[in-house]
Amino acid sequence: MVHISRICLRKYGNFVDNLRLYVRGGGGGMGLPRLGGQGGNGGDVWVVAKKNMTLKRIKDKYPLKRFVGGSGGNSSVRALKGEKGTDVEVPAPVGIAVTTDDGRIVGDLNEEGDRVLVAKGGSGGSLYSAFEPTKGQAKHIRLDLKLIADLGLVGFPNAGKSSLLTALSNATPQVASYAFTTLRPEIGKVMYPDYKQISIADLPGLIEGAYMNKGMGHKFLKHVERTKQLLFVVDVCGFQLASKTPFRSAFEAVQLLSKELELYKEEVASKPAILVVNKMDLPDAEDKLAELKEQLKNPEEFSDLLPGDMIPKNYMTFRHVVPVSAMTGLGIDHLKSCIRQSLDEEATLKSSDVLQEKLLRLQMKAVTLGKPPSCFPTRVQASDHTDQHMLKDEYV
């Protein structure tokens, strides 16, 4: 039995996934020409990963979103070498990418304590600069949250994503019988009996041409990029966005969604995915589900159903295909189990890869020190506690 957390939804108004800040290093201090004194350098501005920090807290605590390093001290008779200006630290959550306005990556904050220099202080006046100081670097930077949830719901408008989030996490996003009820991400959480929590993001619905920034376009796709895995949601009976747009079957919807992700970034389309076939309470749903499953087994044979420019390069392979009814609750518990299984498998796989990388480093170190690498295992399993301990010590 899966237990649901009571507080399961963070409204977008309390959820900030990117922030633009102004940063400027402190100016250098004046030199002292008659005695050859050197002014102090200006203070630097750093972005530092802190525990329990969120972008929302930064926005609330620093409404001006402006961070300036301290000015360097002037050279004087009492102190020929001026003091360095005070450094300023911008607290940020773990999992942040720091970029410039033009998209250039300045650095990543992947662990608590990681630091990125974003604005260097100016140099103090010295003999080489005619004792004149320089100004500190000044720029705008962006803090982008790289991961907003474990899973992101991907689907066309009115596929039932919001209803599914409600059924999965007891969240209360806006639900209606018209398209585009979700305009901004809603985050729901599922709590399991062992207190493991999994976050699921209900993202704005895609439309055909999203990769070209139609509809919510790149805003949606940027959010998809920030989830570990994807939860495709399709209406078992298909959908039609508007009277002037073509009707799409469930199979067509799956392939069109895959293509939109692929055209945006191929690595997004390669994320692990689960297919949720929703609205199984509708008439003829079982027959349509059987037809969809047959089509997914051999998608190439049914590619003629799609426009030529919307056939994916690589057909999506789903870890699970789960029929549900968000309305009646049919299949919801099974879906929760599949979600947990998929995330656990991925975590185990990543742990194994990390350990294998450490093993290779260990073997190379042994060769450098003239030790025989044959004493080390050639393959490490994530569940092998002895090997994990050995690799953690990294053979000192």
Side-chain angles (χ1 to χ4, degrees), residues 62-226:
Y62 307 98
L64 297 179
K65 294 179 283 186
R66 182 182 176 90
F67 299 86
V68 179
S71 299
N74 295 330
S75 173
S76 66
V77 174
R78 292 184 178 181
L80 290 179
K81 172 68 175 176
E83 290 187 1
K84 185 182 186 303
T86 305
D87 288 348
V88 170
E89 293 187 351
V90 182
V94 174
I96 286 289
V98 184
T99 64
T100 58
D101 262 353
D102 58 4
R104 183 176 59 84
I105 295 177
V106 179
D108 294 314
L109 303 177
N110 296 318
E111 295 180 2
E112 186 181 351
D114 283 357
R115 301 163 62 86
V116 175
L117 178 63
V118 291
K120 190 169 179 57
S123 299
S126 67
L127 176 65
Y128 304 103
S129 63
F131 299 97
E132 290 294 324
T134 60
K135 294 180 179 179
Q137 294 177 337
K139 65 183 78 167
H140 282 95
I141 61 167
R142 292 181 182 274
L143 305 183
D144 279 317
L145 194 59
K146 293 191 289 186
L147 186 68
I148 65 171
D150 295 309
L151 291 107
L153 297 176
V154 178
F156 288 115
N158 214 26
K161 300 189 305 301
S162 296
S163 298
L164 182 64
L165 183 66
T166 301
L168 280 170
S169 66
N170 204 27
T172 54
Q174 185 178 354
V175 178
S177 59
Y178 53 86
F180 300 113
T181 53
T182 303
L183 298 177
R184 290 177 174 177
E186 307 263 13
I187 310 295
K189 285 196 174 182
V190 181
M191 183 179 285
Y192 290 82
D194 60 355
Y195 301 104
K196 168 77 173 179
Q197 290 188 45
I198 289 174
S199 55
I200 303 175
D202 179 17
L203 306 171
L206 270 178
I207 66 170
E208 293 178 41
Y211 75 97
M212 295 186 295
N213 212 18
K214 291 183 181 178
M216 299 295 289
H218 290 174
K219 284 187 179 179
F220 167 89
L221 292 164
K222 185 177 76 169
H223 291 309
V224 172
E225 213 172 344
R226 295 170 177 173

